[in-house]
Amino acid sequence: MKRNLKQQFGQRLTVLRKARGISQEDLAFLLDVSVETVSHIERGIHGPRFDLLEDIARTLGVEPRELFDFQEV
């Protein structure tokens, strides 16, 4: 089954977050969003807003385009 863009993004976010040893709770705190929001993004239920994309990239120490590097997922 082919994953849609939200699912691919969510899986990529999960990989990057875990590689940095950050929990969903910690990421939610750092981004000033709910844990439910992070969970929904990682599960591909919702996609992040553009301003949140910038915050995610900054928090994880990556360029925004790296959030969409699905080749490693």
Side-chain angles (χ1 to χ4, degrees):
M1 180 174 112
K2 185 172 181 183
R3 292 173 291 140
N4 66 35
L5 182 61
K6 287 187 288 189
Q7 291 168 328
Q8 290 177 60
F9 180 87
Q11 189 172 6
R12 177 69 173 153
L13 176 57
T14 301
V15 167
L16 291 170
R17 176 181 60 75
K18 287 182 176 181
R20 283 150 182 79
I22 299 173
S23 68
Q24 282 187 341
E25 292 80 8
D26 289 340
L27 183 59
F29 175 78
L30 293 168
L31 296 173
D32 195 26
V33 298
S34 69
V35 175
E36 182 179 46
T37 296
V38 173
S39 175
H40 283 180
I41 293 170
E42 288 190 353
R43 290 186 291 151
I45 296 171
H46 300 297
R49 305 176 318 263
F50 280 109
D51 59 331
L52 187 55
L53 277 172
E54 291 177 329
D55 292 343
I56 291 169
R58 189 176 317 109
T59 299
L60 296 177
V62 298
E63 291 294 321
R65 71 179 182 285
E66 292 178 66
L67 296 173
F68 295 92
D69 185 5
F70 304 140
Q71 296 171 359
E72 295 180 22
V73 182

